[in-house]
Amino acid sequence: DMGLFMPVGGACFYALTPLHSHPSYMFILPFNDETSVAIGGKTIRAIPGKLSALSPGIAHHELPADSPPRYIAIFMERSFFEGQLTGYPVERGLVFRGESYDTPPNLLPLLKQFMIEADNGGPGSEAVLHGISLGICHSIIRSVFNVRTLNDRITPRVGIDKAVEHMHSGLAGKITVRDLANIACMSQTHFTRVFKKRTREDADGVSKPDTDGTGKKAFDGRG
């Protein structure tokens, strides 16, 4: 259903082969701007942080670069990708010719999981890879077709719970908002706002400005 490719030490010789094509859908996640692809007489340069797409059978080739290209190529078997696409109210028959789309934030962690699982192998690995493949496929579909999903209400709750647990375990010492925000993987401003909302604490009873000039806010123990 899916395969990943990363160039090592330089461009792939097959990728440089003029006007070749693939039977699968291909999505490129570049990490630098050294990758350029010729498609239909045009040169398309990779944009780091953007995901480019190519449909099956589209003739193309990678152009030589001064520095090694850095990217992950995601190949999806045609029937697999189009089968997953049927669950969405989106346009059918769209042909990708190197267009760029926003990279979903969960894509790179999924790709890393896929590579680790494929490298380790072992019992159950095939089933796990299939599950990760589905996650990668749907993550890309939702980004490419701008499919809106519900707001993430779970991640902030988990982050706040981790911060509260840290507070309970360290009441004897000084705890700063900066420390708790780092534990919750949030900015200090966002953490303060979410903490107040989630715990329904009065701002004056939760934190007070620090006086050491660092800009930190110290919890006074009542939180």
Side-chain angles (χ1 to χ4, degrees), residues 55-66:
S55 289
I58 301 297
H60 67 283
H61 60 272
E62 187 177 321
L63 299 174
D66 295 331

Side-chain angles (χ1 to χ4, degrees), residues 51-102:
L51 188 71
S52 59
L54 197 67
S55 289
I58 301 297
H60 67 283
H61 60 272
E62 187 177 321
L63 299 174
D66 295 331
S67 301
R70 305 293 183 192
Y71 62 81
I72 299 177
I74 308 162
F75 296 92
M76 294 191 204
E77 198 270 331
R78 180 196 288 265
S79 63
F80 172 73
F81 179 78
E82 294 178 355
Q84 301 307 314
L85 195 59
T86 59
Y88 294 86
V90 299
E91 177 186 354
R92 299 291 186 272
L94 178 64
V95 178
F96 301 116
R97 300 180 183 275
E99 296 84 358
S100 294
Y101 303 91
D102 290 336

Side-chain angles (χ1 to χ4, degrees), residues 97-111:
R97 300 180 183 275
E99 296 84 358
S100 294
Y101 303 91
D102 290 336
T103 300
N106 66 333
L107 181 59
L108 187 56
L110 286 170
L111 296 177

Side-chain angles (χ1 to χ4, degrees), residues 6 13 82 104 126 160 167 182:
M6 294 180 66
F13 290 128
E82 294 178 355
E126 184 175 345
I160 294 299
M167 291 169 60
N182 289 335

Side-chain angles (χ1 to χ4, degrees), residues 7 14 71 101 103 109 115 118 134 136 144 150 164 182 190 207 218:
Y14 183 74
Y71 62 81
Y101 303 91
T103 300
M115 288 185 281
L134 288 171
I136 293 171
V144 167
L150 295 175
V164 170
N182 289 335
H190 184 55
S207 61

